[in-house]
Coordinates of all heavy atoms in Angstrom, one line a residue:
E1376 N 153.2 133.5 110.1 CA 154.3 132.7 110.7 C 153.6 132.2 112.0 O 153.2 133.1 112.8 CB 155.5 133.3 110.9 CG 156.6 132.5 111.5 CD 157.9 133.2 111.6 OE1 158.2 134.0 110.6 OE2 158.8 132.9 112.6
E1377 N 153.6 131.0 112.3 CA 153.0 130.5 113.5 C 154.1 130.6 114.7 O 155.2 130.2 114.5 CB 152.6 129.0 113.5 CG 151.5 128.7 112.4 CD 150.2 128.9 113.1 OE1 150.0 129.3 114.2 OE2 149.2 128.9 112.2
G1378 N 153.7 131.1 115.8 CA 154.6 131.2 116.9 C 154.6 130.0 117.6 O 153.7 129.1 117.5
D1379 N 155.6 129.7 118.5 CA 155.7 128.6 119.3 C 155.7 128.9 120.9 O 155.9 128.0 121.7 CB 156.9 127.7 118.9 CG 158.2 128.5 119.1 OD1 158.2 129.7 119.5 OD2 159.2 128.0 118.7
G1380 N 155.3 130.1 121.1 CA 155.3 130.5 122.6 C 153.9 130.5 123.1 O 153.0 129.8 122.6
D1381 N 153.7 131.2 124.2 CA 152.4 131.3 124.8 C 151.4 131.9 123.9 O 151.5 132.7 123.1 CB 152.4 132.1 126.1 CG 153.2 131.4 127.2 OD1 153.3 130.1 127.1 OD2 153.8 132.1 128.0
E1382 N 150.1 131.3 124.0 CA 149.0 131.8 123.3 C 148.3 133.0 124.0 O 148.3 133.0 125.1 CB 147.8 130.6 123.1 CG 146.7 131.1 122.3 CD 145.8 130.1 122.0 OE1 146.1 128.9 122.4 OE2 144.6 130.3 121.6
V1383 N 148.0 134.0 123.1 CA 147.4 135.2 123.6 C 146.0 134.9 123.9 O 145.2 134.5 123.1 CB 147.6 136.3 122.5 CG1 146.9 137.6 123.1 CG2 149.1 136.6 122.2
V1384 N 145.6 135.3 125.1 CA 144.2 135.3 125.6 C 143.8 136.6 126.1 O 144.6 137.4 126.4 CB 143.8 134.1 126.5 CG1 144.1 132.8 125.9 CG2 144.7 134.3 127.9
R1385 N 142.6 136.8 126.2 CA 142.1 138.1 126.8 C 142.6 138.3 128.2 O 142.6 137.5 129.0 CB 140.5 138.1 126.8 CG 139.9 139.5 127.1 CD 138.4 139.6 126.7 NE 137.6 138.5 127.1 CZ 136.5 138.7 127.6 NH1 135.9 139.9 127.8 NH2 135.7 137.6 128.0
H1386 N 143.0 139.7 128.4 CA 143.6 140.1 129.7 C 145.1 139.9 129.7 O 145.7 140.4 130.6 CB 142.9 139.7 130.9 CG 141.4 139.8 130.9 ND1 140.8 141.0 130.7 CD2 140.4 138.9 131.0 CE1 139.6 140.8 130.8 NE2 139.2 139.7 130.9
D1387 N 145.7 139.2 128.7 CA 147.1 139.2 128.7 C 147.7 140.5 128.3 O 147.1 141.2 127.6 CB 147.6 138.2 127.8 CG 147.5 136.7 128.2 OD1 147.3 136.5 129.4 OD2 147.6 135.7 127.4
T1388 N 148.9 140.8 128.7 CA 149.6 142.0 128.2 C 150.7 141.5 127.2 O 151.4 140.6 127.5 CB 150.4 142.7 129.4 OG1 149.4 143.1 130.3 CG2 151.1 143.9 128.9
V1389 N 150.6 142.1 126.0 CA 151.4 141.7 124.9 C 152.3 142.8 124.4 O 151.9 144.0 124.4 CB 150.6 141.0 123.8 CG1 149.9 139.7 124.3 CG2 149.6 142.0 123.2
T1390 N 153.4 142.5 124.1 CA 154.4 143.5 123.3 C 154.5 143.1 121.8 O 154.8 141.9 121.6 CB 155.7 143.4 124.0 OG1 155.6 143.9 125.4 CG2 156.6 144.5 123.3
V1391 N 154.2 144.0 120.9 CA 154.2 143.7 119.5 C 155.0 144.6 118.7 O 155.2 145.7 119.2 CB 152.7 143.7 119.1 CG1 151.8 142.7 119.9 CG2 152.2 145.1 119.0
H1392 N 155.3 144.3 117.5 CA 155.8 145.0 116.4 C 154.7 145.1 115.4 O 154.0 144.0 115.2 CB 157.1 144.7 115.8 CG 158.2 145.4 116.3 ND1 158.2 146.8 116.5 CD2 159.6 145.0 116.6 CE1 159.4 147.2 116.9 NE2 160.2 146.2 116.9
Y1393 N 154.2 146.2 114.7 CA 153.3 146.2 113.8 C 153.4 147.4 112.8 O 154.3 148.2 112.9 CB 151.9 146.6 114.5 CG 151.8 148.0 115.0 CD1 151.4 149.0 114.2 CD2 152.2 148.3 116.3 CE1 151.3 150.3 114.7 CE2 152.1 149.6 116.8 CZ 151.7 150.6 115.8 OH 151.7 151.9 116.3
T1394 N 152.9 147.1 111.6 CA 152.8 148.0 110.5 C 151.4 148.1 110.0 O 150.7 147.0 109.8 CB 153.8 147.7 109.4 OG1 155.2 147.6 109.9 CG2 153.7 148.8 108.4
G1395 N 150.8 149.4 109.7 CA 149.4 149.5 109.4 C 149.4 150.3 108.0 O 150.0 151.2 107.8
W1396 N 148.4 149.8 107.2 CA 148.2 150.5 106.0 C 146.6 150.7 105.8 O 145.8 149.9 106.3 CB 148.6 149.6 104.7 CG 150.1 149.3 104.5 CD1 150.9 150.1 103.8 CD2 150.8 148.2 105.2 NE1 152.1 149.5 103.8 CE2 152.2 148.3 104.7 CE3 150.4 147.2 105.9 CZ2 153.1 147.5 105.1 CZ3 151.4 146.3 106.4 CH2 152.7 146.4 105.9
V1397 N 146.2 151.7 105.1 CA 144.9 151.8 104.6 C 144.7 150.9 103.4 O 145.6 150.8 102.6 CB 144.6 153.3 104.2 CG1 143.2 153.4 103.5 CG2 144.6 154.3 105.3
Y1398 N 143.6 150.1 103.4 CA 143.5 149.0 102.5 C 142.3 149.1 101.7 O 141.2 149.4 102.2 CB 143.4 147.7 103.4 CG 143.5 146.5 102.6 CD1 144.7 146.1 102.0 CD2 142.5 145.5 102.6 CE1 144.9 144.8 101.4 CE2 142.5 144.3 101.9 CZ 143.7 144.0 101.3 OH 143.8 142.7 100.8
E1399 N 142.4 149.0 100.3 CA 141.2 149.2 99.5 C 141.3 148.3 98.2 O 142.4 148.3 97.6 CB 141.0 150.6 99.0 CG 139.8 151.0 98.3 CD 139.7 152.4 98.0 OE1 140.3 153.3 98.6 OE2 138.9 152.8 97.1
D1400 N 140.2 147.6 98.0 CA 140.2 146.8 96.7 C 141.3 145.8 96.7 O 142.0 145.6 95.6 CB 140.3 147.7 95.5 CG 138.9 148.5 95.3 OD1 138.0 148.0 95.8 OD2 139.2 149.6 94.8
G1401 N 141.8 145.2 97.9 CA 142.8 144.2 98.0 C 144.1 144.7 97.8 O 145.1 143.9 97.6
E1402 N 144.4 146.0 98.0 CA 145.8 146.5 97.9 C 146.0 147.6 98.9 O 145.0 148.3 99.4 CB 146.0 147.2 96.5 CG 145.9 146.2 95.3 CD 146.2 147.0 93.9 OE1 146.4 148.2 94.0 OE2 146.3 146.2 93.0
D1403 N 147.1 147.8 99.3 CA 147.5 148.9 100.3 C 147.5 150.1 99.6 O 148.0 150.3 98.4 CB 148.9 148.6 100.9 CG 149.0 147.3 101.7 OD1 148.0 146.9 102.2 OD2 150.1 146.7 101.8
Q1404 N 147.0 151.1 100.2 CA 147.0 152.5 99.7 C 148.2 153.4 100.0 O 148.2 154.0 101.1 CB 145.7 153.2 100.0 CG 144.4 152.4 99.5 CD 144.4 152.2 98.1 OE1 144.3 153.1 97.3 NE2 144.4 150.9 97.6
G1405 N 149.3 153.2 99.3 CA 150.5 154.0 99.6 C 151.3 153.5 100.8 O 151.2 152.3 101.0
E1406 N 152.1 154.3 101.4 CA 153.0 154.1 102.5 C 152.1 153.7 103.7 O 151.0 154.2 103.9 CB 153.9 155.2 102.7 CG 154.9 155.5 101.5 CD 155.8 154.3 101.2 OE1 156.4 153.8 102.3 OE2 156.0 154.1 100.1
P1407 N 152.8 153.0 104.6 CA 152.2 152.7 105.9 C 151.8 154.0 106.7 O 152.6 155.0 106.6 CB 153.2 152.0 106.7 CG 154.1 151.3 105.7 CD 154.1 152.3 104.6
F1408 N 150.7 154.0 107.3 CA 150.3 155.2 108.1 C 150.8 155.1 109.5 O 151.0 156.2 110.2 CB 148.7 155.2 108.2 CG 148.1 154.2 108.9 CD1 148.0 154.1 110.3 CD2 147.4 153.3 108.2 CE1 147.4 153.2 111.0 CE2 146.7 152.3 108.8 CZ 146.7 152.2 110.2
D1409 N 151.4 154.0 109.9 CA 152.0 153.9 111.2 C 152.8 152.5 111.2 O 152.5 151.6 110.7 CB 151.0 153.8 112.3 CG 151.6 154.0 113.8 OD1 152.7 154.4 113.8 OD2 150.9 153.8 114.6
S1410 N 153.9 152.6 112.0 CA 154.8 151.4 112.0 C 155.7 151.5 113.2 O 156.5 152.4 113.3 CB 155.7 151.2 110.7 OG 156.6 150.1 110.9
S1411 N 155.5 150.6 114.1 CA 156.4 150.5 115.4 C 157.8 150.1 114.9 O 158.8 150.5 115.5 CB 155.9 149.6 116.4 OG 155.9 148.2 116.0
R1412 N 157.9 149.3 113.9 CA 159.2 148.8 113.4 C 159.9 150.1 112.9 O 161.2 150.2 113.1 CB 159.1 147.8 112.3 CG 158.5 146.5 112.7 CD 158.6 145.5 111.6 NE 158.3 144.1 112.1 CZ 159.0 143.3 112.8 NH1 160.1 143.6 113.1 NH2 158.5 142.1 113.1
D1413 N 159.4 151.0 112.2 CA 160.1 152.1 111.6 C 160.7 153.0 112.8 O 161.6 153.6 112.6 CB 159.2 152.9 110.7 CG 158.9 152.3 109.4 OD1 159.6 151.2 109.1 OD2 158.0 152.7 108.6
R1414 N 159.8 153.1 113.8 CA 160.2 153.9 115.1 C 161.2 153.2 115.9 O 161.9 153.8 116.7 CB 159.0 154.3 115.9 CG 157.9 155.2 115.1 CD 157.0 155.7 116.2 NE 156.3 154.7 116.8 CZ 155.1 154.1 116.3 NH1 154.7 154.6 115.2 NH2 154.6 153.1 117.0
G1415 N 161.3 151.8 115.7 CA 162.2 151.0 116.7 C 161.7 150.9 118.0 O 162.5 150.7 119.0
Q1416 N 160.3 151.0 118.2 CA 159.8 151.0 119.5 C 158.6 150.1 119.5 O 157.5 150.4 119.0 CB 159.2 152.4 119.9 CG 160.3 153.5 120.2 CD 159.7 154.7 120.6 OE1 158.8 155.3 120.0 NE2 160.4 155.3 121.6
P1417 N 158.8 148.9 120.1 CA 157.6 147.9 120.2 C 156.5 148.6 121.0 O 156.6 149.5 121.8 CB 158.1 146.7 120.9 CG 159.7 146.8 120.7 CD 159.9 148.3 120.6
F1418 N 155.3 148.1 120.8 CA 154.0 148.6 121.4 C 153.5 147.5 122.4 O 153.4 146.3 122.0 CB 153.0 148.9 120.3 CG 151.7 149.4 120.8 CD1 151.5 150.4 121.7 CD2 150.6 148.6 120.5 CE1 150.4 150.8 122.1 CE2 149.3 149.0 120.8 CZ 149.2 150.1 121.8
T1419 N 153.2 147.9 123.6 CA 152.7 147.1 124.6 C 151.2 147.5 124.9 O 150.9 148.7 125.1 CB 153.6 147.1 125.8 OG1 154.8 146.8 125.5 CG2 153.0 146.2 127.0
L1420 N 150.3 146.4 124.9 CA 148.9 146.7 125.3 C 148.3 145.5 126.1 O 149.0 144.4 126.1 CB 148.1 146.8 124.0 CG 148.0 145.5 123.1 CD1 146.6 145.4 122.6 CD2 149.1 145.5 122.1
T1421 N 147.3 145.8 126.9 CA 146.6 144.7 127.6 C 145.3 144.4 126.7 O 144.5 145.3 126.6 CB 146.3 145.1 129.0 OG1 147.5 145.4 129.7 CG2 145.5 144.0 129.7
L1422 N 145.1 143.1 126.4 CA 144.0 142.7 125.5 C 142.7 142.7 126.5 O 142.7 142.2 127.5 CB 144.3 141.3 125.0 CG 143.7 141.1 123.6 CD1 144.2 142.0 122.6 CD2 143.9 139.6 123.2
G1423 N 141.7 143.3 125.9 CA 140.4 143.5 126.6 C 140.4 144.7 127.5 O 139.3 144.9 128.3
A1424 N 141.3 145.6 127.5 CA 141.3 146.8 128.3 C 140.9 148.0 127.5 O 141.0 149.1 128.0 CB 142.6 147.1 129.1
G1425 N 140.5 147.9 126.3 CA 140.0 149.0 125.5 C 141.1 150.0 125.1 O 140.8 151.1 124.8

Side-chain angles (χ1 to χ4, degrees):
E1376 183 177 326
E1377 296 280 355
D1379 56 7
D1381 289 336
E1382 182 177 347
V1383 177
V1384 297
R1385 189 159 49 136
H1386 306 306
D1387 284 346
T1388 297
V1389 296
T1390 300
V1391 306
H1392 261 317
Y1393 69 90
T1394 302
W1396 295 264
V1397 173
Y1398 192 69
E1399 186 176 344
D1400 297 327
E1402 296 183 355
D1403 297 333
Q1404 302 300 296
E1406 295 296 316
F1408 64 79
D1409 192 15
S1410 176
S1411 66
R1412 288 189 179 281
D1413 290 349
R1414 291 192 302 273
Q1416 292 182 316
F1418 175 57
T1419 299
L1420 69 144
T1421 298
L1422 211 64

